[in-house]
Amino acid sequence: MTASASSIEISGVTRRFGAATVLHGISLTIAANSFHCLLGPSGCGKTTLMHLLAGLDVPDEGTIVIGGTEHTRTPAHRRPTNLVFQSGALFPHMSVRDNVAFGLRSDGLKGPALRTRVDESLELVAMGEFAGRMPATLSGGQRQRIAIARALVKRPDVLLLDEPLSALDLALQLHMRRELKRWQQETGTTFVCVTHNQAEAMEIADEISVMRAGTIEQTGSAQELYAAPETRFVAGFIGENNIFTGPGPVIDGITFPTPAADGQVLTLRPEHLRLVEAGSDDSRGGVRVDTVGFTGRTIRAGLRTGTGRELLAELPAGTPLTPGAEVGLAFDAGHVYAVPS
Amino acid sequence: MRSRRLATVLVAPGTAYLILVFVSIVALLFSYSARSERTAALVAPVDWATWQNVLTDAYTWQVLTTTVLLGLVVSVLTVLVAYPLAWCVHTMRRPWQATTMLFVIFSPILVSVVVRTYGWAMLLRENGPFGSLFDGWLYHQPGVIVALVHVELPFAVFPILAAIRSVPPELGRAAADLGAGPLRRFLRVQLPLTMPGVLSGIQLVFALTISAFATPALLGGGRVTVLAQTIYQSIQQLQWPTAAAQAVLLLILALLVLTLFTGLARLVSGGRAAR
């Protein structure tokens, strides 16, 4: 861990493009030496926020403080941040070594010192033997490793990653998630990663900010967001959820222990649903089994209420189920969360 | 397979036409240059005296040097002017601005060469609209150069613009993010990646300049003589074989320089030569 890792303080940042406001007064503090994910669907403003952090864009209002120094209007080449682009953005006319050395050469470093730093960085991402290759001869995953090495070699206070894994195939993504986490821990750098993939964010981030339509809906650890979502959007976006809209206590034929207050919806995670004999004491309402899918550890069952609502249940493997069966739905009152709609 | 055959059928007439015309003209030129006097019969005895005369003539070499120098100066100057223009068009936000700009750049081609050349003569003349600014330019090298740069600008702007547009914008952003200031970004990233466009611009302009006739003839005032003019003069004097030899010389010159630039382009594009 190095002492240079610093926190980011974003206060009241607003960005407009013409008549459209892309960010509405965002405020966010990111702890030093942490892995932070900006998570949201496309168009939520997460990439714009990242460009503001990188210095590729300037906010219309608000301030950005990085490592205790205000950098709201500092251009990209004078910031203690480095950005890894979604495409990698490797320079196609330079070898891997020259790509990684580019940033250090910009700072005036040369000779053996430059060589050592470049080699170290390439070793970190296990790409040492590719130093002489041209980017066009590398695979997508290798290119992305070089892009990360090229940014990390500058030892930035903050490493910004813009959808770094989205261009890779799923198996490689799963592997690279663990790698990213490892590099963050080994270098002690603050990582800020933009992604639309909630599974990715939950796996790699210490803290996640869920963004939607230019605002941050909620910030917290993956566990906090999952267990106690504060908004309907977070409840639906972080993990899978069944969301019930209506005054209650009976919604879609299911009887809830407590009715939803005004302006609230009730949520129930799929793994908290149980299926019981229709009409038994535990049953809170009748449903029909629509589909049954086996995933390995669990069975994912698509259910349909009497009103036609579709629900998802995640049941222990081995639960006997036949599509078309009429069963009763059960759950513990403690697993029902009311969130603002 | 079918679409391939169709493509062959569609391309065949044009290709055949070009090959026929080019090959027959070059063959005729060679044939004429290997005679000692004008003849319609190609069976006249072969005679290399014309070539001997042309190649040992000091005047021919002087004209050849002028032609090549003019080609180099004009092509380099044109590219130097064209690059910022292309960059400017590329960065224009509104489509109508770019369209207007491109029209202005393209406009010299829309005007007849004679009209345009006399227009330049009026601009450059002593006590013209610019006063004494261009004194001594008209009927001398600078006048010819400035007029040629004007008309050949679009031939450099378009390939350079295409090259600039093909560079992904995030490469410039990545360079900035890695600490490179504007000059380093341009020299290390933008320029090398757009070099193929610059070189094809130079190639086009060079080829057009060394074969230019009207502009040097009208604005050179007899002081700037290029190869195309001596060919014309030879034909006027009914020295067809000499004209043919000079024309072959011009062709060889053009091919030589184009080959040189193609090699250079392959060199600067480095590992990406494959495309």
Side-chain angles (χ1 to χ4, degrees):
Chain A
M1 278 190 209
T2 60
S4 69
S6 64
S7 64
I8 299 172
E9 284 157 48
I10 303 167
S11 323
V13 162
T14 294
R15 181 71 179 109
R16 301 182 195 91
F17 293 111
T21 304
V22 179
L23 294 175
H24 300 268
I26 297 265
S27 292
L28 175 66
T29 303
I30 296 174
N33 192 18
S34 69
F35 203 134
H36 195 101
C37 270
L38 300 172
L39 173 67
S42 60
C44 70
K46 57 192 193 296
T47 297
T48 304
L49 183 57
M50 172 130 302
H51 283 181
L52 294 176
L53 290 175
L56 295 171
D57 195 7
V58 175
D60 294 301
E61 287 162 35
T63 56
I64 295 170
V65 174
I66 301 169
T69 312
E70 199 195 315
H71 282 294
T72 312
R73 290 173 185 280
T74 311
H77 61 279
R78 300 214 187 92
R79 280 198 195 205
T81 59
N82 281 114
L83 175 60
V84 175
F85 291 78
Q86 186 174 1
S87 64
L90 296 182
F91 304 123
H93 57 302
M94 293 181 200
S95 68
V96 164
R97 172 177 295 285
D98 287 338
N99 262 283
V100 176
F102 184 88
L104 295 179
R105 289 201 174 114
S106 298
D107 297 344
L109 200 67
K110 51 183 118 171
L114 173 78
R115 204 178 169 81
T116 312
R117 290 270 295 270
V118 171
D119 287 342
E120 273 173 17
S121 192
L122 285 172
E123 284 312 319
L124 176 73
V125 297
M127 290 293 288
E129 58 191 294
F130 293 88
R133 297 269 288 269
M134 295 304 281
T137 67
L138 302 177
S139 71
Q142 291 169 335
R143 276 204 289 274
Q144 211 51 295
R145 280 168 185 272
I146 300 303
I148 290 166
R150 185 176 72 172
L152 277 177
V153 76
K154 295 211 47 169
R155 296 179 185 155
D157 290 352
V158 178
L159 184 75
L160 305 166
L161 302 115
D162 185 5
E163 301 266 6
L165 307 182
S166 65
L168 310 179
D169 65 56
L170 187 61
L172 198 54
Q173 275 187 26
L174 295 176
H175 176 69
M176 287 282 282
R177 283 181 198 169
R178 293 194 295 277
E179 295 273 80
L180 278 177
K181 189 90 181 149
R182 189 169 64 78
W183 297 331
Q184 191 268 322
Q185 285 161 355
E186 279 181 22
T187 58
T189 308
T190 306
F191 276 35
V192 179
C193 178
V194 155
T195 180
H196 65 270
N197 185 326
Q198 53 95 9
E200 180 180 310
M202 289 176 80
E203 187 172 340
I204 61 180
D206 297 320
E207 238 187 1
I208 300 171
S209 292
V210 179
M211 291 186 66
R212 179 193 179 205
T215 58
I216 291 178
E217 294 260 316
Q218 189 177 354
T219 297
S221 70
Q223 290 90 330
E224 285 166 2
L225 295 179
Y226 191 81
E230 285 170 4
T231 68
R232 177 189 178 150
F233 180 76
V234 175
F237 201 71
I238 297 286
E240 288 169 310
N241 226 330
N242 297 301
I243 295 175
F244 297 86
T245 320
V250 179
I251 306 171
D252 289 321
I254 313 290
T255 310
F256 284 87
T258 45
D262 259 359
Q264 287 194 320
V265 293
L266 300 176
T267 68
L268 256 174
R269 293 285 178 191
E271 66 271 26
H272 293 148
L273 297 183
R274 282 176 288 124
L275 299 184
V276 294
E277 214 169 291
S280 69
D281 287 350
D282 280 353
S283 174
R284 296 180 188 267
V287 291
R288 188 162 51 84
V289 178
D290 248 4
T291 58
V292 179
F294 178 65
T295 68
R297 278 173 300 132
T298 61
I299 287 175
R300 289 163 65 84
L303 310 174
R304 199 176 286 274
T305 65
T307 57
R309 256 301 299 278
E310 283 179 48
L311 302 176
L312 178 70
E314 197 139 8
L315 308 161
T319 310
L321 271 185
T322 18
E326 297 287 346
V327 293
L329 190 69
F331 49 85
D332 294 339
H335 286 140
V336 180
Y337 282 93
V339 297
S341 62
Chain B
M1 244 22 283
R2 258 191 77 184
S3 67
R4 227 190 136 83
R5 199 175 310 153
L6 181 69
T8 312
V9 170
L10 288 174
V11 166
T15 313
Y17 177 76
L18 284 175
I19 290 176
L20 211 72
V21 170
F22 184 74
V23 169
S24 55
I25 283 178
V26 172
L28 265 176
L29 271 179
F30 267 116
S31 160
Y32 272 123
S33 70
R35 321 279 162 194
S36 52
E37 59 191 70
R38 181 190 168 186
T39 172
L42 293 180
V43 289
V46 169
D47 184 350
W48 298 105
T50 308
W51 272 105
Q52 218 161 20
N53 289 342
V54 167
L55 290 179
T56 53
D57 179 20
Y59 180 65
T60 305
W61 287 104
Q62 189 196 321
V63 169
L64 204 65
T65 312
T66 308
T67 309
V68 173
L69 282 180
L70 189 70
L72 287 177
V73 170
V74 169
S75 49
V76 169
L77 278 180
T78 307
V79 163
L80 286 180
V81 178
Y83 204 104
L85 274 178
W87 187 260
C88 179
V89 172
H90 175 65
T91 51
M92 281 175 165
R93 291 245 177 93
R94 296 172 213 286
W96 67 264
Q97 285 176 328
T99 311
T100 312
M101 188 80 178
L102 284 175
F103 179 77
V104 171
I105 292 167
F106 198 74
S107 62
I109 296 180
L110 303 176
V111 181
S112 149
V113 59
V114 177
V115 175
R116 191 178 58 241
T117 308
Y118 280 118
W120 272 108
M122 290 184 67
L123 281 182
L124 298 177
R125 74 176 197 273
E126 277 181 45
N127 305 316
F130 293 106
S132 56
L133 189 63
F134 294 118
D135 270 5
W137 283 38
L138 187 60
Y139 306 132
H140 288 89
Q141 294 264 17
V144 176
I145 291 170
V146 81
L148 282 172
V149 169
H150 174 222
V151 66
E152 282 159 16
L153 211 48
F155 298 99
V157 169
F158 285 101
I160 292 173
L161 181 60
I164 291 175
R165 281 180 173 161
S166 75
V167 176
E170 72 250 30
L171 293 186
R173 288 194 211 120
D177 182 72
L178 291 167
L183 186 68
R184 188 173 157 78
R185 292 206 288 275
F186 178 74
L187 291 178
R188 296 281 164 207
V189 178
Q190 199 63 45
L191 192 60
L193 289 175
T194 49
M195 214 38 166
V198 170
L199 285 173
S200 55
I202 290 184
Q203 271 183 319
L204 271 172
V205 173
F206 184 86
L208 287 168
T209 304
I210 60 168
S211 56
F213 172 73
T215 308
L218 295 177
L219 291 177
R223 290 186 190 87
V224 185
T225 309
V226 293
L227 214 47
Q229 285 164 267
T230 58
I231 295 171
Y232 178 74
Q233 286 158 6
S234 301
I235 290 176
Q236 292 287 296
Q237 293 157 14
L238 299 180
Q239 294 170 341
W240 284 38
T242 307
Q246 287 163 336
V248 170
L249 218 54
L250 188 61
L251 186 67
I252 291 172
L253 190 68
L255 288 177
L256 209 69
V257 172
L258 293 189
T259 314
L260 212 73
F261 274 115
T262 309
L264 204 60
R266 200 162 292 164
L267 209 68
V268 296
S269 57
R272 301 177 311 131
R275 84 193 169 103

